[in-house]
Amino acid sequence: MKHVLLEQKLKISITITKNGSEGYVCACDYPFRHFDLGGSGSTVEDAKKDCFTFYDEMKEEFPDENYPELDVRWMFDFPSFFNHFDFLNVTKVAKYAGMSPSNFRHYVAGSKIMSQKQFLKVKHAFDRMSDELKACTLTM
């Protein structure tokens, strides 16, 4: 009987935040031995690609190290979330959350900081949206 050794994926969290007018940055919570994993770009997708390109470059730079496949939990600040999920209609999400669309657009742009109370309102609205989507079935 053959025993197959399955390589464990490394569970990490990568936080993506808006970096002023510079775009977006990724920062990883895992303490790699020779480097801090991160990336940047003008969009969230560009920052994610840059992060993984950097990981591949580190594999070449330090070939004696073990580089497992990554199991990433993505964490977003508010502007990064809406950049990543750009199919969401900001005005409709604001109304669904019971918030002013004008203020909400400022939060999405990163030009205003959201209060904890407002953040919880939005989080609750996203939880409700998720539940509603899970509860329905799409048919042809």
Side-chain angles (χ1 to χ4, degrees), residues 6 20 27 32 36 44 75 77 90 92 104 106 115-116 130 139:
L6 297 176
F32 289 95
D36 292 326
V44 167
M75 301 174 69
D77 71 354
V90 174
K92 290 190 180 201
F104 200 81
H106 283 288
S115 70
Q116 182 70 18
S130 175
T139 64

Side-chain angles (χ1 to χ4, degrees), residues 10 12 14 26-39 50-68 70:
L10 178 61
I12 62 171
I14 297 179
C26 296
C28 178
D29 69 340
Y30 186 81
F32 289 95
R33 184 174 176 191
H34 296 289
F35 60 92
D36 292 326
L37 182 60
D50 188 49
C51 186
F52 289 123
T53 298
F54 180 69
Y55 189 63
D56 290 339
E57 289 170 356
M58 292 301 97
K59 290 177 187 178
E60 292 176 21
E61 182 79 23
F62 302 102
D64 295 335
E65 296 294 320
N66 178 28
Y67 294 95
L70 302 177

Side-chain angles (χ1 to χ4, degrees), residues 16-25 40-44 47 77 79-80:
I16 303 176
T17 56
K18 184 158 176 47
N19 187 26
S21 62
E22 301 295 314
Y24 300 86
V25 294
S40 63
S42 59
T43 66
V44 167
D77 71 354
S80 300

Side-chain angles (χ1 to χ4, degrees), residues 7-8 11 29 34 50-51 59-60 75 90 99 102 108 112-113 137:
E7 184 178 322
Q8 292 287 327
K11 292 183 183 237
D29 69 340
H34 296 289
D50 188 49
C51 186
K59 290 177 187 178
E60 292 176 21
M75 301 174 69
V90 174
M99 297 172 67
S102 176
V108 170
K112 278 188 179 179
I113 303 296
T137 302

